[in-house]
Amino acid sequence: MAKIIRTNFPDWSASVPVLPKTGPRRQALYGELRRMIEAGTLPPGAKLPTTRDLARRFSLSRGAAVAAYDMLVADGFAEARIGAGTYVASVVPVIETPPPLRRNTVQREPPPLPGVLGSSTADQRTLQIFRGLLNRHLAKPSIRHFHYNEPAGGQDLRDEIAAYLRAARGVQCTGDQVIVTAGTQHGIDLVIRTLLKSGDPVWVEEPCYPAARAAFQAAGMRLIGVPVDAEGIDPAAGIRLGPQARAAYVTPSHQFPFGVTLSMPRRLALIAWAEQQDAYIIEDDYDSEFRYAGPPLTSLQGIDGQGRVIYVGTFSKALMPGLRIGYLVAPWALRDALLDTRRLSDRFPPTLAEEALAEFLRDGHFAAHIKRARRRLRLARDMLVSALADGGLEVSTPEQGLHLVAGLPPGLSDLALSDPALTDLALTDLALAADAARSGFGVRALSPMYLGPPARQGLIIGFSGFPAEEIARAARRWLETKPFRPEF
């Protein structure tokens, strides 16, 4: 004869559906009992079955049944009466059912296209070495990983960065002046929040790196666009336009976007202005490692004897943006103030990546990586220049960096700049950049990089981040559909 299972309600079992065989069954039991209570199937004051009965009926552990009841009691749907059992609450809470989840309509970032700026190219040898370093430091982790780090970063990495900058860039510094950041943009933000206040006038190059310009604008700076020519930014023009500026943001070794180098007379004039006005120069040396004709030029900081230059750089271009490690070389007078600002927003850099990178630099792996990268990038640059020239764009071969500027064929830029009827096209280079993206070629327009009315149009095209053949192929594919003529 079958054993009879007794419950408090003769028809109770028929009201409860079979629980799923997989997943968190405790949560499922709680959900079904709550549904029945909210629907009135189990009325207020009704006694609930024992946890032993529930466990046996649904093949649960008794602990799971007890936990489901505890959740009902905690949420106000049930009451536990000592020595009497568990009952539906006399007053059941009314909880509005949230609306059903809608499909996420947030626009996702499209994948990068050949020609995009700011990418690095994977180097299998580098990845293999760096992975080994990370694994070793993770297998035998330093005690530093389990405590808060110094806001400036670990001493080993700062010393290695300082040694590298002294040898490769002529930067005059010790490891104690280096502050490890999450990239160039982070370093610029630290300087802005430490030294400047809303409304301060600041020189920026005209045209200028858009992300840096956006950082100054977001902080309320009054930007003064100082013209750039073949010798770089013109300090004399800056003095005429804004002699009382509190800071100047410059890319002297490889101006972005034009790629020109700041001449020595102008470097000296810029430093003299900063000293006279008690201003500071923010030197962004974003891609100095990649010079294809001769050694990299000495940094502006290296000829500054007055502590007026704040040097910022990054490993994003040389290694990978995902590493999120950059650096700032602070004049001694500003070091403590910059570190105080750092403590407020980001207490310290990641120690695991720090230790691996310090060893990577110390053992010569970084220097070897840069040599391999230069060979790949030189090939990509030459193939891209050839493809663009064959397609009718005006381009010269850059001697440094990871991008080039392609001028528009004669007639195109003149037409857009002189004909007001074409302003709704947002200038020809913007229209061409959008068209290139649709064909799978990720170029940027030059004209939006001006603070004021654009004096020149063109296309900014990167040659890193993808194999040389892929970048050239993307350029040719787009240009095959563009018979560049003045009547375009």
Side-chain angles (χ1 to χ4, degrees):
M1 182 176 177
K3 186 176 180 180
I4 298 176
I5 300 175
R6 299 186 179 277
T7 68
N8 300 86
F9 303 98
D11 61 345
W12 182 85
S13 61
S15 302
V16 181
V18 177
L19 298 183
K21 294 185 179 297
T22 59
R25 307 190 73 219
R26 174 193 64 185
Q27 190 70 32
L29 177 60
Y30 162 81
E32 290 302 319
L33 291 174
R34 174 176 162 177
R35 178 188 62 78
M36 294 174 66
I37 293 171
E38 290 180 315
T41 305
L42 295 174
K47 186 176 183 180
L48 296 177
T50 65
T51 54
R52 185 175 287 105
D53 185 9
L54 282 178
R56 187 164 50 245
R57 181 177 298 278
F58 294 113
S59 300
L60 296 168
S61 69
R62 190 176 175 209
V66 170
Y69 272 15
D70 287 344
M71 292 168 65
L72 288 172
V73 171
D75 290 345
F77 291 97
E79 300 171 352
R81 301 177 186 175
I82 297 176
T86 305
Y87 294 78
V88 176
S90 56
V91 179
V92 176
V94 178
I95 301 176
E96 294 186 7
T97 303
L101 294 176
R102 296 182 296 177
R103 179 183 291 273
N104 189 350
T105 58
V106 175
Q107 186 175 1
R108 301 295 183 187
E109 286 290 330
L113 300 173
V116 72
L117 302 177
S119 294
S120 61
T121 304
D123 180 318
Q124 292 306 313
R125 176 62 177 158
T126 295
L127 292 176
Q128 179 185 7
I129 294 171
F130 204 79
R131 182 168 58 247
L133 294 174
L134 283 172
N135 288 342
R136 186 163 77 244
H137 285 287
L138 189 58
K140 295 183 177 180
S142 164
I143 194 173
R144 293 179 61 242
H145 304 320
F146 304 96
H147 296 271
Y148 285 100
N149 193 17
E150 300 175 62
Q155 189 69 50
D156 286 350
L157 178 57
R158 290 189 282 125
D159 287 344
E160 292 302 326
I161 291 174
Y164 163 71
L165 293 177
R166 288 194 300 268
R169 302 296 299 117
V171 173
Q172 301 300 312
C173 70
T174 69
D176 288 335
Q177 290 175 263
V178 174
I179 299 174
V180 179
T181 67
T184 296
Q185 196 75 3
H186 183 205
I188 293 171
D189 178 68
L190 286 177
V191 174
I192 291 173
R193 292 191 292 121
T194 302
L195 298 182
L196 303 173
K197 62 181 184 299
S198 181
D200 278 350
V202 174
W203 289 2
V204 295
E205 296 166 324
E206 181 73 319
C208 179
Y209 176 49
R213 185 182 71 193
F216 288 108
Q217 289 174 325
M221 303 297 104
R222 181 165 62 85
L223 299 188
I224 300 166
V226 181
V228 171
D229 58 23
E231 293 187 68
I233 190 172
D234 184 358
I239 292 171
R240 289 194 302 271
L241 295 169
Q244 304 302 320
R246 297 290 304 124
Y249 168 80
V250 294
T251 53
S253 296
H254 186 232
Q255 197 274 335
F256 188 94
F258 285 159
V260 298
T261 300
L262 187 62
S263 67
M264 183 57 69
R266 290 191 178 179
R267 290 178 181 229
L268 296 175
L270 185 60
I271 292 172
W273 163 80
E275 182 182 1
Q276 182 179 0
Q277 293 298 323
D278 192 25
Y280 285 95
I281 302 166
I282 305 165
E283 178 181 11
D284 184 350
D285 208 19
Y286 63 99
D287 65 359
S288 60
E289 293 87 359
F290 301 107
R291 187 166 178 83
Y292 311 107
L297 302 177
T298 299
S299 66
L300 184 64
Q301 193 270 3
I303 61 172
D304 168 33
Q306 307 301 321
R308 289 292 155 187
V309 177
I310 304 166
Y311 181 93
V312 294
T314 180
F315 290 102
S316 294
K317 308 295 188 300
L319 288 172
M320 63 187 80
L323 190 61
R324 302 314 303 136
I325 293 183
Y327 43 86
L328 180 156
V329 178
W332 282 111
L334 301 180
R335 179 184 179 274
D336 290 345
L338 287 164
L339 287 177
D340 287 343
T341 302
R342 171 66 185 269
R343 288 185 182 92
L344 297 176
S345 61
D346 181 19
R347 289 187 61 174
F348 62 94
T351 56
L352 180 63
E354 268 193 3
E355 292 190 348
L357 181 56
E359 194 169 345
F360 191 80
L361 287 163
R362 182 171 56 249
D363 293 348
H365 300 305
F366 183 70
H369 163 78
I370 292 299
K371 290 180 181 178
R372 293 192 298 270
R374 284 191 190 125
R375 290 194 295 268
R376 291 195 310 272
L377 291 165
R378 184 185 292 111
L379 174 63
R381 176 202 64 180
D382 294 344
M383 292 183 67
L384 176 60
V385 167
S386 177
L388 296 174
D390 291 346
L393 293 180
E394 298 179 338
V395 59
S396 59
T397 304
E399 295 184 350
Q400 182 173 326
L402 305 174
H403 75 272
L404 54 79
V405 181
L408 306 189
L412 276 182
S413 58
D414 293 342
L415 179 65
L417 288 171
S418 62
D419 187 352
L422 293 179
T423 56
D424 59 343
L425 289 176
L427 299 180
T428 304
D429 60 354
L430 270 172
L432 290 176
D435 183 72
R438 287 191 290 270
S439 75
F441 190 39
V443 308
R444 292 276 297 274
L446 171 62
S447 58
M449 297 181 187
Y450 283 88
L451 184 63
R456 176 180 167 186
Q457 291 192 63
L459 300 175
I460 315 300
I461 308 172
F463 47 85
S464 64
F466 291 84
E469 298 81 2
E470 188 173 349
I471 297 173
R473 186 165 54 248
R476 294 185 188 279
R477 183 174 59 243
W478 173 58
L479 290 168
E480 283 173 357
T481 67
K482 294 289 167 295
F484 284 124
R485 300 184 299 272
E487 63 268 22
F488 170 80

